[in-house]
Amino acid sequence: MSKVRVGIIGAGRIGKIHVDNLLRIADAEIVAVSDLYANEELKAWASERGIGIVTTDSSELIKHPDIDAIFICSSTDTHVPLIIQAAEAGKHVFCEKPVSMDVNKTKEALDAVEKAGVKLQIGFNRRFDHNFKRLRELVAQNRVGDPHLVKITSRDPNPPSPEYIKVSGGIFMDMAIHDFDMARFISGSEVETVYTQGAVLIDPVIGELGDYDTAVTTLTFTSGALAIIDNSRRAVYGYDQRVEVFGSRGAASAENDYPNTVTVSDEAGVVRDKPLHFFLERYNEAYVEETRMFIDSVRHNRPLPVEGNDGLQAELIALAAKQSAKLGRPVKLSELI
Amino acid sequence: MSKVRVGIIGAGRIGKIHVDNLLRIADAEIVAVSDLYANEELKAWASERGIGIVTTDSSELIKHPDIDAIFICSSTDTHVPLIIQAAEAGKHVFCEKPVSMDVNKTKEALDAVEKAGVKLQIGFNRRFDHNFKRLRELVAQNRVGDPHLVKITSRDPNPPSPEYIKVSGGIFMDMAIHDFDMARFISGSEVETVYTQGAVLIDPVIGELGDYDTAVTTLTFTSGALAIIDNSRRAVYGYDQRVEVFGSRGAASAENDYPNTVTVSDEAGVVRDKPLHFFLERYNEAYVEETRMFIDSVRHNRPLPVEGNDGLQAELIALAAKQSAKLGRPVKLSELI
Amino acid sequence: MSKVRVGIIGAGRIGKIHVDNLLRIADAEIVAVSDLYANEELKAWASERGIGIVTTDSSELIKHPDIDAIFICSSTDTHVPLIIQAAEAGKHVFCEKPVSMDVNKTKEALDAVEKAGVKLQIGFNRRFDHNFKRLRELVAQNRVGDPHLVKITSRDPNPPSPEYIKVSGGIFMDMAIHDFDMARFISGSEVETVYTQGAVLIDPVIGELGDYDTAVTTLTFTSGALAIIDNSRRAVYGYDQRVEVFGSRGAASAENDYPNTVTVSDEAGVVRDKPLHFFLERYNEAYVEETRMFIDSVRHNRPLPVEGNDGLQAELIALAAKQSAKLGRPVKLSELI
Amino acid sequence: MSKVRVGIIGAGRIGKIHVDNLLRIADAEIVAVSDLYANEELKAWASERGIGIVTTDSSELIKHPDIDAIFICSSTDTHVPLIIQAAEAGKHVFCEKPVSMDVNKTKEALDAVEKAGVKLQIGFNRRFDHNFKRLRELVAQNRVGDPHLVKITSRDPNPPSPEYIKVSGGIFMDMAIHDFDMARFISGSEVETVYTQGAVLIDPVIGELGDYDTAVTTLTFTSGALAIIDNSRRAVYGYDQRVEVFGSRGAASAENDYPNTVTVSDEAGVVRDKPLHFFLERYNEAYVEETRMFIDSVRHNRPLPVEGNDGLQAELIALAAKQSAKLGRPVKLSELI
């Protein structure tokens, strides 16, 4: 394959990010974009980027003979049917997380992918972050020895709107799912049990919607190691994304990224600017890198860095977390399968 | 009271530390030391420090008319009877943690203290650490707003001997009890529920003794806030003692102390020395400060910085943690009373 | 002007960087590239980037009616004649530093630019670095008060080849010139006196070529403030680029950039990766930003962020530093004009 | 010698610090204190510390048969005659810096000490600071290779009173003398040439007294290495005491000490408390350590960590700095001898 020819389904914020990132990758070519609300503005936007086809019909992309791979950036409820269609059409798929909110449906999608022998990468972009990638490297190189504990801090600067929360799948399926994947990624181990304590401390509306805005989760891995994750929907100082791994030979710790390294010392103390504000700033290069890796994997038929099963496992953990917070007891993943 | 005249029961490592610290406090005078194994060496040691009485009989100190306050630094099983005797003799008491391993006995000690109207300070020295004291100040000044989450990292450089583990009360009653107190101290709130996941990842002998060497604990407070604590008996890089508090207005974080601020940059990277190795180095000044506060409180009849109830609450949490780890479910403190 | 149409003279390393950066700027269009050694490879490279004209003749670009601005990325000796030709042809100019090694020739170029009423930006890319830009902002906002002292650390990972050193103008004109500009940029003040102590501590060959590999320079500003700059041609730990400014109200300090924020703690200490290795990594985004600002200034006829006089002043300081190191005494800029 | 018996001449601030530090050293015994203004208050103070003799007559101490060592903590003009008297009486001497403001007189004192075969330690307490001691260790262990450059930042929080400045010997002899000693200490090399640029940027009164409040000094060492030192009489954020050494194999850097490790993150940024405020806080333990080393050296007849010649060399550099700032040219130490 000389270039990987791509079709983008869904041209919302994340779809547009993927387009701009793909334009920076010499081995990718964007053939078409589909969006339910494709309008003149989108056509102009696509034209500026040299994208020839703009359509409201996603199946047009899936059937297109000159498209090798589909990026699914549309709403979560469309992911499973689109993955199945794309797989049946022999297209490789990059799909945003979560695959679905129903573990059985996710499995159907994975089965279709396996049967078709195509590739399916899930959008766990944080695995490609310069800090977390380095952390994983260090674990893989045995620099910290056997992992005993993974600690993940994951706090957003501000909660999403109630409207979004209603359809998002809640704090576990929408937000913490990234951290559940991170725990598996860093430890290199599978999760066995989940205990989650949820709380509503930021906005009672979130509680009224049946969701939490603050949560603490303990994971146990099949290896015997543990993980703890804390999530919050509002960190007034910005985006707080840190990971630490502690093992038999040492510990490694990834701090936040900052817009600059400047500190000011005056009568009030020593101050530096807040961390990078939110995921678009913090994970800017990680988005590029995940796309580059997907294109490379497709082009050279190499293993994917994040596979369908990674999406499934993270969904299972999210589901267990949700149940644990509700039931007030630890939940085993094996209860859910 | 011009000077507070002190008797020390138990002249082991911690007893000797208290003696040397008391010598630095102008308002304290050490009248006597008792130890079951008082020998010539101890007498010489005491004599160098100008301590007139060295005895094997602790009751001699308790009855002594020129002693105002007793430091109980003997083994844990002696704490309760000694507190009761001292209280009945009208002496103020400083007692090392834990008061006992039996919550009911601890209550008896506290009742005796209350009845006698004397003061009882528990040796939670970490409250006096320069970092954690500053963290508490910041919370008290509302600099982080309402606390949502307290995160405590507490890892020892090396596990104690199996002999010690057998009599220590285990990781929760011996080691994590400091962290349980820290969670209450920083948050200013009482604990309601405890969930602990214990693991044996460092030394199987510890598991054979019915103890854990690694543990992760989630606490819920009556305020609705949460805490997470991770404990390990072996951090190869030294003593790891960090606390973070996250709230509605911000977060505050206390890092480890280091022997110096020097970094070396060479072809291998940028390196600095390991954190201060263990509690004697790290909490050196905190020990002095807790003693100074106790002497001040007794001398000027001021409220104590750590009271008997603080000892009791931490023991209850430790007990709940032990049960939770065993039962595999969250345990409410109210189940234990 | 809808888009700024650009011609690139000199397609070496730095010329190619500017091309790739210009491709990321929507308001710029690259019309042509000239290089003395234009070959098939360069044509293929240009063609991939959609650049229609590739020539060995720089005057073809300067005369081209569809070119608004010229990037001069050829060797230093060509800068002055090319600036004069471009200015006379009414083209705006972006020129790499230094303009020349002869202050009088640099003045001729500046005169031509002034006469023609075109813009001339000098490639002091470090002004656009996220850290130094923030430092300048803080000074401009009076956060540190009146500047008293600017301290600049500027060390390269490895010395260039003897061949390069021969033609480079030496450590002051080639390397420290960036720091001389930085001192003016941060302080917002003009330099009056220069004292430089040069040394050959890394490679005697550098000394044999009449150059230094290590230097310390003290500057005095007309404002009364001071600056100190230390330069080295070899820092084994990588590129060391730090700036500090100290003033009546406080101090601000910019540290190095690192490839990630990860630290590893083990028995040997706490270690992190070395700083970003060299200028292409460290100033990657600064190069994009200087180009974007040039294009914006040309397009909207706004003041330039770095002007011809900035090039001249830095050259004067470099010249004074060279003389001071040779003469062993402070040199006033007024001696050189 | 079982214990080193000490007499203290001068019971001002620094004399009292030495007394309290000596009380913490088991091998030292304070026999007597002299002070021109010995009054009832001083007697009470000495009595509390078990010091038997309080006198206005320093010669009483020097002649006292039960005194082994004299601490000279009186005003600078008394240092030389007291050193000579003490040496002639066969007493070891600890003397505060500077020995004198007249290099020839300092030499007389050193000659007397040499002739008498007694020990003379100069109060360069910063050599005992945990950070700088570690830095020196690293250089001595060849961790940074051959030193190329020593960089010293030395800024006081506030200028002393005009009265003090008049008698202090000025910024170089009073304040920077510590940094001149530090440069020799860290590099392990002797100074050859001094260039100093002085400025009056903080308080014109300081300039009217013929002194500077801001200075930048370049030193060259006989080894070929360089040093740069910046001094300021006012850093509004507190005491700024940092040292960096750069060499053929790497660099080592000592940062400031802080009262705690806590950072607070909120909407305004990430802030920590200011560095330790001034020399009594920052060098508290260094004062204890220098005294302990002196007592040890005397008791066991070991080499001193700081000798008379260290005092002389620092004075020579201070003198050269003063002349250089006045003359506007580099000054060689050899010009002064």
Side-chain angles (χ1 to χ4, degrees):
Chain A
M1 199 178 291
S2 62
K3 283 207 181 193
V4 178
R5 297 164 302 176
V6 173
I8 309 282
I9 298 177
R13 184 172 59 177
I14 193 70
K16 282 179 171 160
I17 287 170
H18 286 307
V19 164
D20 283 334
N21 291 340
L22 284 162
L23 289 173
R24 290 171 59 182
I25 298 169
D27 295 332
E29 184 190 336
I30 309 174
V31 174
V33 171
S34 79
D35 194 281
L36 285 179
Y37 309 99
N39 54 17
E40 289 310 307
E41 199 183 341
L42 186 69
K43 279 175 191 163
W45 175 89
S47 162
E48 269 181 42
R49 281 154 182 82
I51 304 172
I53 303 170
V54 178
T55 171
T56 56
D57 179 13
S58 59
S59 66
E60 197 179 322
L61 272 65
I62 291 173
K63 289 176 198 153
H64 199 295
D66 292 345
I67 286 181
D68 306 306
I70 299 287
F71 274 62
I72 302 178
C73 312
S74 47
S75 62
T76 301
D77 57 306
T78 66
H79 290 179
V80 167
L82 288 171
I83 290 172
I84 294 173
Q85 287 173 46
E88 289 174 350
K91 310 298 189 193
H92 303 291
V93 179
F94 179 102
C95 183
E96 275 305 317
K97 54 98 241 181
V99 174
S100 80
M101 303 201 198
D102 178 335
V103 167
N104 291 318
K105 289 206 175 300
T106 298
K107 280 184 191 160
E108 282 176 37
L110 267 59
D111 288 346
V113 163
E114 197 182 358
K115 200 172 154 196
V118 296
K119 292 179 186 290
L120 169 62
Q121 182 169 326
I122 310 301
F124 286 130
N125 59 302
R126 295 185 196 176
R127 290 187 178 212
F128 305 90
D129 174 69
H130 59 147
N131 297 325
F132 304 144
K133 199 166 51 174
R134 182 76 180 114
L135 216 55
R136 173 59 199 156
E137 261 174 41
L138 289 162
V139 172
Q141 293 162 356
N142 202 27
R143 279 284 278 122
V144 300
D146 298 328
H148 292 179
L149 178 67
V150 177
K151 279 179 84 167
I152 299 175
T153 302
S154 179
R155 302 167 187 159
D156 283 355
N158 277 302
S161 66
E163 288 65 40
Y164 179 83
I165 286 177
K166 278 179 206 166
V167 301
S168 69
I171 192 169
F172 305 114
M173 196 57 91
D174 169 48
M175 177 188 175
I177 197 169
H178 277 293
D179 308 305
F180 300 147
D181 180 64
M182 186 59 61
R184 292 179 64 247
F185 173 61
I186 295 292
S187 68
S189 186
E190 294 300 337
V191 169
E192 206 167 62
T193 314
V194 180
Y195 174 75
T196 298
Q197 187 74 42
V200 180
L201 300 171
I202 292 161
D203 187 350
V205 170
I206 294 172
E208 286 158 21
L209 295 170
D211 199 4
Y212 307 94
D213 53 35
T214 304
V216 165
T217 297
T218 303
L219 306 177
T220 67
F221 295 101
T222 54
S223 66
L226 304 170
I228 42 180
I229 298 164
D230 73 273
N231 293 107
S232 170
R233 286 287 198 182
R234 184 157 63 212
V236 297
Y237 50 89
Y239 201 39
D240 196 353
Q241 298 277 301
R242 288 172 285 150
V243 176
E244 184 180 345
V245 56
F246 172 84
S248 57
R249 296 181 58 191
S253 174
E255 295 300 311
N256 283 318
D257 280 341
Y258 286 83
N260 59 66
T261 65
V262 175
T263 53
V264 181
S265 300
D266 64 15
E267 289 186 21
V270 181
V271 67
R272 74 179 296 184
D273 289 341
K274 291 184 290 185
L276 288 179
H277 187 64
F278 207 6
F279 67 99
L280 294 182
E281 293 89 352
R282 166 64 187 263
Y283 295 122
N284 187 33
E285 288 305 307
Y287 280 114
V288 179
E289 191 61 18
E290 72 169 355
T291 305
R292 191 188 316 275
M293 293 281 287
F294 174 71
I295 295 297
D296 277 4
S297 297
V298 168
R299 189 163 171 238
H300 302 291
N301 193 22
R302 290 195 199 122
L304 290 168
V306 202
E307 295 183 330
N309 181 51
D310 296 311
L312 177 64
Q313 293 301 322
E315 285 170 31
L316 279 167
I317 303 168
L319 193 58
K322 202 169 172 176
Q323 290 201 7
S324 172
K326 199 173 158 191
L327 302 172
R329 65 162 178 87
V331 171
K332 285 182 190 300
L333 289 206
S334 58
E335 298 179 44
L336 306 176
I337 308 175
Chain B
M1 198 178 290
S2 63
K3 283 206 179 193
V4 177
R5 296 163 303 175
V6 172
I8 309 283
I9 297 178
R13 184 171 60 177
I14 191 72
K16 282 180 172 159
I17 287 170
H18 286 307
V19 165
D20 282 335
N21 291 341
L22 284 161
L23 289 172
R24 289 170 62 181
I25 299 169
D27 295 332
E29 184 190 337
I30 308 174
V31 174
V33 170
S34 79
D35 194 281
L36 284 180
Y37 309 100
N39 53 16
E40 287 312 306
E41 199 183 341
L42 187 68
K43 278 176 192 162
W45 176 87
S47 163
E48 269 181 43
R49 282 155 180 81
I51 304 172
I53 303 170
V54 178
T55 173
T56 57
D57 180 11
S58 61
S59 66
E60 197 180 321
L61 272 66
I62 290 174
K63 290 176 198 153
H64 200 295
D66 292 347
I67 286 180
D68 305 308
I70 299 288
F71 274 62
I72 302 177
C73 311
S74 47
S75 63
T76 302
D77 57 307
T78 67
H79 289 181
V80 166
L82 288 171
I83 292 172
I84 294 172
Q85 286 173 46
E88 289 175 351
K91 310 297 191 194
H92 301 292
V93 179
F94 179 101
C95 183
E96 275 304 319
K97 55 97 239 180
V99 174
S100 80
M101 303 201 197
D102 178 336
V103 167
N104 290 318
K105 290 207 177 297
T106 298
K107 280 184 192 160
E108 282 176 36
L110 267 57
D111 288 346
V113 164
E114 196 182 359
K115 201 173 154 196
V118 296
K119 291 178 186 293
L120 169 62
Q121 182 170 325
I122 309 302
F124 286 131
N125 60 301
R126 295 185 196 174
R127 290 188 179 211
F128 305 90
D129 173 70
H130 60 148
N131 296 326
F132 304 144
K133 199 166 52 175
R134 182 76 179 114
L135 216 54
R136 173 58 199 158
E137 261 173 41
L138 289 163
V139 172
Q141 293 162 358
N142 203 27
R143 279 285 277 123
V144 300
D146 298 329
H148 291 178
L149 177 67
V150 176
K151 278 179 86 166
I152 300 175
T153 302
S154 178
R155 301 167 188 160
D156 283 355
N158 277 303
S161 66
E163 290 65 39
Y164 179 83
I165 285 176
K166 279 180 205 164
V167 301
S168 70
I171 193 170
F172 305 114
M173 195 58 89
D174 169 48
M175 177 187 176
I177 195 169
H178 277 293
D179 308 306
F180 300 148
D181 181 63
M182 186 57 63
R184 291 179 64 246
F185 172 61
I186 295 292
S187 69
S189 185
E190 295 299 337
V191 168
E192 207 166 60
T193 313
V194 179
Y195 175 76
T196 297
Q197 187 74 42
V200 181
L201 299 171
I202 293 161
D203 187 350
V205 171
I206 294 172
E208 287 157 20
L209 295 170
D211 200 4
Y212 307 95
D213 54 34
T214 305
V216 165
T217 298
T218 304
L219 305 177
T220 66
F221 296 100
T222 54
S223 65
L226 304 170
I228 42 182
I229 298 165
D230 73 275
N231 292 107
S232 170
R233 287 288 198 181
R234 184 156 63 213
V236 297
Y237 51 88
Y239 200 38
D240 197 352
Q241 299 276 302
R242 289 172 286 149
V243 177
E244 184 180 344
V245 55
F246 172 83
S248 56
R249 297 180 58 191
S253 173
E255 295 301 311
N256 284 318
D257 280 341
Y258 286 83
N260 59 65
T261 64
V262 175
T263 52
V264 181
S265 301
D266 63 16
E267 288 186 22
V270 181
V271 67
R272 73 180 297 184
D273 289 341
K274 291 183 291 184
L276 288 179
H277 186 65
F278 207 5
F279 66 100
L280 294 182
E281 293 88 351
R282 166 64 188 264
Y283 294 122
N284 188 32
E285 288 304 308
Y287 280 114
V288 179
E289 191 61 17
E290 73 169 353
T291 306
R292 192 189 315 277
M293 294 282 287
F294 174 70
I295 295 296
D296 277 4
S297 297
V298 168
R299 189 164 172 238
H300 303 292
N301 195 23
R302 290 195 199 121
L304 290 168
V306 201
E307 296 183 330
N309 181 52
D310 296 313
L312 177 63
Q313 293 302 321
E315 285 170 30
L316 280 167
I317 303 168
L319 194 58
K322 203 169 170 176
Q323 289 201 7
S324 172
K326 199 173 158 190
L327 301 173
R329 66 161 176 86
V331 171
K332 285 184 188 300
L333 291 205
S334 58
E335 297 179 45
L336 307 176
I337 309 176
Chain C
M1 202 180 288
S2 62
K3 283 205 181 193
V4 177
R5 297 164 301 176
V6 173
I8 309 281
I9 298 177
R13 184 170 61 177
I14 193 70
K16 281 177 172 161
I17 287 170
H18 286 306
V19 165
D20 282 335
N21 291 342
L22 284 161
L23 289 173
R24 290 170 62 182
I25 298 169
D27 295 332
E29 186 190 334
I30 308 175
V31 174
V33 170
S34 78
D35 194 281
L36 285 179
Y37 308 100
N39 53 16
E40 287 313 305
E41 200 183 339
L42 186 69
K43 278 175 191 163
W45 176 88
S47 161
E48 270 181 42
R49 281 155 183 80
I51 304 172
I53 303 170
V54 178
T55 172
T56 55
D57 178 12
S58 60
S59 67
E60 197 180 322
L61 273 66
I62 290 174
K63 290 177 199 154
H64 200 294
D66 292 346
I67 287 180
D68 306 306
I70 299 287
F71 274 61
I72 302 177
C73 311
S74 46
S75 61
T76 302
D77 57 307
T78 66
H79 290 181
V80 167
L82 288 171
I83 291 173
I84 294 172
Q85 286 172 47
E88 289 175 350
K91 309 299 188 190
H92 301 291
V93 178
F94 179 101
C95 183
E96 275 304 320
K97 56 96 240 181
V99 174
S100 80
M101 302 199 197
D102 178 336
V103 168
N104 290 319
K105 288 206 176 300
T106 299
K107 279 184 194 163
E108 280 176 38
L110 267 59
D111 287 346
V113 164
E114 197 183 358
K115 198 172 156 196
V118 296
K119 291 177 186 292
L120 169 63
Q121 182 169 325
I122 310 301
F124 285 130
N125 59 302
R126 296 185 195 173
R127 291 189 177 210
F128 305 89
D129 174 70
H130 60 147
N131 297 325
F132 304 143
K133 199 166 53 176
R134 183 73 179 117
L135 216 55
R136 173 59 199 158
E137 260 174 43
L138 289 162
V139 172
Q141 292 162 0
N142 202 26
R143 279 285 278 122
V144 299
D146 298 328
H148 291 179
L149 178 67
V150 176
K151 278 178 85 167
I152 300 175
T153 302
S154 180
R155 301 168 189 159
D156 283 355
N158 276 302
S161 66
E163 289 64 40
Y164 179 82
I165 284 178
K166 278 180 207 166
V167 300
S168 70
I171 192 170
F172 305 113
M173 195 59 88
D174 169 49
M175 177 188 177
I177 196 168
H178 277 294
D179 308 305
F180 299 146
D181 182 62
M182 187 57 64
R184 292 179 65 244
F185 173 61
I186 294 294
S187 68
S189 186
E190 295 299 338
V191 169
E192 207 167 59
T193 312
V194 179
Y195 175 75
T196 296
Q197 186 75 41
V200 180
L201 300 170
I202 292 160
D203 188 349
V205 170
I206 294 173
E208 287 157 21
L209 295 170
D211 200 4
Y212 307 94
D213 54 34
T214 305
V216 166
T217 299
T218 303
L219 305 177
T220 66
F221 295 102
T222 54
S223 66
L226 304 170
I228 42 182
I229 297 164
D230 72 274
N231 293 106
S232 170
R233 286 286 197 182
R234 182 156 65 212
V236 297
Y237 50 90
Y239 200 39
D240 196 352
Q241 298 277 301
R242 291 172 283 149
V243 177
E244 183 180 343
V245 55
F246 173 83
S248 56
R249 297 181 59 189
S253 173
E255 295 300 312
N256 283 318
D257 279 342
Y258 286 82
N260 59 67
T261 64
V262 175
T263 53
V264 180
S265 300
D266 64 15
E267 289 186 21
V270 181
V271 67
R272 73 178 300 184
D273 289 341
K274 291 182 290 184
L276 288 179
H277 187 64
F278 207 4
F279 67 100
L280 293 182
E281 295 88 351
R282 166 65 188 264
Y283 296 121
N284 187 33
E285 287 305 307
Y287 280 113
V288 178
E289 191 61 18
E290 71 168 355
T291 305
R292 191 188 317 276
M293 293 281 287
F294 174 70
I295 296 296
D296 277 5
S297 297
V298 168
R299 191 167 171 235
H300 303 292
N301 194 22
R302 288 194 201 124
L304 291 167
V306 201
E307 295 183 331
N309 182 51
D310 295 313
L312 176 64
Q313 293 301 323
E315 285 170 29
L316 279 167
I317 303 169
L319 193 58
K322 204 170 171 176
Q323 290 202 4
S324 172
K326 200 174 158 191
L327 302 173
R329 65 161 177 89
V331 171
K332 285 183 190 299
L333 290 206
S334 58
E335 298 178 44
L336 307 176
I337 308 174
Chain D
M1 200 179 288
S2 64
K3 282 206 180 194
V4 178
R5 296 164 302 177
V6 173
I8 309 282
I9 297 177
R13 184 170 60 177
I14 192 71
K16 282 177 171 161
I17 287 170
H18 286 307
V19 165
D20 282 336
N21 291 341
L22 284 162
L23 289 172
R24 290 170 62 181
I25 298 169
D27 295 333
E29 185 190 335
I30 307 174
V31 175
V33 170
S34 79
D35 195 280
L36 285 179
Y37 309 99
N39 54 15
E40 288 313 306
E41 201 183 338
L42 186 68
K43 280 174 190 164
W45 176 87
S47 162
E48 269 181 44
R49 281 155 182 80
I51 304 172
I53 302 170
V54 178
T55 172
T56 55
D57 180 11
S58 60
S59 66
E60 198 179 321
L61 272 67
I62 290 174
K63 291 176 197 155
H64 199 295
D66 292 346
I67 287 181
D68 304 308
I70 299 288
F71 274 62
I72 301 177
C73 311
S74 47
S75 61
T76 302
D77 56 308
T78 67
H79 289 181
V80 167
L82 288 171
I83 291 173
I84 294 172
Q85 286 173 48
E88 289 175 350
K91 310 298 189 192
H92 301 292
V93 178
F94 179 102
C95 183
E96 276 303 320
K97 55 97 239 179
V99 175
S100 80
M101 301 197 198
D102 178 336
V103 167
N104 290 318
K105 289 206 176 299
T106 298
K107 280 184 193 162
E108 281 175 37
L110 267 59
D111 287 346
V113 164
E114 197 183 359
K115 197 173 156 196
V118 295
K119 290 177 186 294
L120 169 62
Q121 182 169 326
I122 309 301
F124 286 130
N125 59 301
R126 295 185 195 173
R127 290 188 178 212
F128 306 89
D129 174 70
H130 60 148
N131 297 326
F132 304 143
K133 199 166 52 177
R134 184 75 179 115
L135 216 55
R136 173 60 199 157
E137 262 173 43
L138 289 162
V139 172
Q141 293 162 358
N142 202 27
R143 279 285 277 119
V144 300
D146 298 326
H148 292 180
L149 177 68
V150 177
K151 278 178 86 167
I152 300 175
T153 302
S154 179
R155 301 168 188 159
D156 284 355
N158 276 302
S161 66
E163 287 66 39
Y164 180 83
I165 285 177
K166 277 180 208 167
V167 299
S168 68
I171 192 169
F172 305 113
M173 195 59 89
D174 169 48
M175 177 187 176
I177 196 168
H178 277 294
D179 308 306
F180 299 147
D181 181 62
M182 185 58 62
R184 291 180 65 244
F185 173 61
I186 295 294
S187 68
S189 186
E190 296 299 338
V191 169
E192 207 167 59
T193 312
V194 180
Y195 175 75
T196 297
Q197 186 76 41
V200 179
L201 299 170
I202 292 161
D203 187 349
V205 170
I206 294 172
E208 287 158 20
L209 294 170
D211 201 4
Y212 307 94
D213 53 34
T214 304
V216 166
T217 298
T218 303
L219 305 177
T220 66
F221 295 101
T222 53
S223 66
L226 305 170
I228 42 181
I229 299 164
D230 72 274
N231 293 105
S232 170
R233 287 285 198 184
R234 183 156 65 213
V236 298
Y237 51 88
Y239 200 39
D240 196 352
Q241 298 276 302
R242 290 172 283 150
V243 176
E244 183 180 344
V245 55
F246 172 83
S248 56
R249 296 180 59 190
S253 171
E255 294 300 311
N256 283 318
D257 280 342
Y258 286 82
N260 59 66
T261 64
V262 175
T263 53
V264 180
S265 301
D266 64 16
E267 289 186 21
V270 180
V271 68
R272 74 178 299 184
D273 290 341
K274 291 182 291 184
L276 288 179
H277 187 63
F278 207 4
F279 67 100
L280 294 182
E281 294 88 352
R282 166 65 188 265
Y283 295 121
N284 187 33
E285 288 305 308
Y287 280 114
V288 179
E289 192 61 18
E290 72 168 354
T291 305
R292 190 188 317 275
M293 294 280 287
F294 174 71
I295 295 297
D296 278 6
S297 297
V298 168
R299 190 165 170 236
H300 303 291
N301 194 22
R302 289 195 201 122
L304 290 168
V306 201
E307 296 182 332
N309 181 51
D310 296 313
L312 176 64
Q313 293 302 322
E315 286 170 31
L316 279 168
I317 303 169
L319 193 58
K322 205 169 169 176
Q323 290 201 5
S324 172
K326 200 173 156 191
L327 301 174
R329 65 163 177 86
V331 171
K332 285 183 190 299
L333 290 206
S334 57
E335 299 178 43
L336 306 176
I337 309 176

